[in-house]
Amino acid sequence: MESLQPHIQLGKDLQIKYALMPGDPARLDRIAPFLENVTELKFNREYRSLSGTYKGVPILAISTGIGGASAGIAVEELHNIGVEAMIRIGSCGSLQPQVKVGDIIIVNGAVRDDGASKTYIDAMFPAVPDAQLMLYCMEAAKEQDFQYHVGIARSHDSFYTDDEEAIDAYW
């Protein structure tokens, strides 16, 4: 019998290399219409998953819940079952006036102002995406004529405790 990862409840038999990772389990309902042959897989804690194909390529969509700790669990367990490329999708804020609601943000580096990432790697190491995957995302946005921005983001553990004026002055 295939052994399942304890939190995402998926195993190596899934054989999917690419994953989209929204935080909210309900966002999978917004991803599903873009896929063919959609199959609801598992729903355990904050980890709801479905699979399908996009232009013939198998895709996994799995929610991660809120924050780096639960996303870290998902990333580790997805790696354990053979997922090679993961794209976090979801909402974010912006301090730049030209960024409008609905624009796509492609992050080329992140300030790791959180706790979870520091348990994996030294704080001095930058959080940067795979360059080729980032370029593919930019090309796809151009092809679809989506408004997008590339830049640095900040990831942190608190949602309501920021001093926005201090952050705005700093950035």
Side-chain angles (χ1 to χ4, degrees):
M1 179 172 169
E2 174 70 27
S3 105
L4 302 177
Q5 293 298 301
H7 298 91
I8 64 173
Q9 293 290 295
L10 300 172
K12 289 183 178 182
D13 61 329
L14 192 61
Q15 297 184 346
I16 296 179
K17 293 182 180 184
Y18 309 109
L20 298 175
M21 303 171 68
D24 184 350
R27 290 206 178 118
L28 270 65
D29 296 330
R30 297 186 66 187
I31 295 170
F34 294 94
L35 302 176
E36 296 179 345
N37 307 313
V38 175
T39 302
E40 191 83 27
L41 299 173
K42 298 287 183 172
F43 197 158
N44 183 51
R45 297 180 178 223
E46 60 267 59
Y47 307 105
R48 177 182 170 208
S49 57
L50 61 80
S51 65
T53 58
Y54 180 77
K55 296 183 179 182
V57 177
I59 300 290
L60 173 69
I62 183 165
S63 58
T64 63
I66 296 174
S70 62
I73 290 169
V75 166
E76 285 196 48
E77 292 188 7
L78 289 170
H79 175 266
N80 290 345
I81 65 167
V83 175
E84 296 175 3
M86 303 169 210
I87 299 176
R88 168 69 170 99
I89 61 174
S91 58
C92 67
S94 173
L95 299 174
Q96 306 301 319
Q98 71 272 20
V99 176
K100 305 297 181 213
V101 172
D103 287 359
I104 294 174
I105 308 300
I106 300 173
V107 177
N108 63 1
V111 175
R112 296 185 301 116
D113 188 13
D114 69 309
S117 69
K118 291 174 182 74
T119 66
Y120 289 94
I121 194 161
D122 188 89
M124 294 297 291
F125 193 84
V128 295
D130 176 88
Q132 190 61 53
L133 182 55
M134 184 183 74
L135 290 174
Y136 289 147
C137 290
M138 292 168 62
E139 289 172 12
K142 283 181 194 173
E143 287 174 10
Q144 297 295 317
D145 199 29
F146 292 148
Q147 184 65 34
Y148 74 96
H149 309 271
V150 178
I152 297 172
R154 173 178 165 255
S155 178
H156 61 106
D157 292 331
S158 60
F159 197 77
Y160 295 109
T161 60
D162 281 336
D163 179 350
E164 295 301 331
E165 288 180 13
I167 291 169
D168 193 30
Y170 180 76
W171 288 102

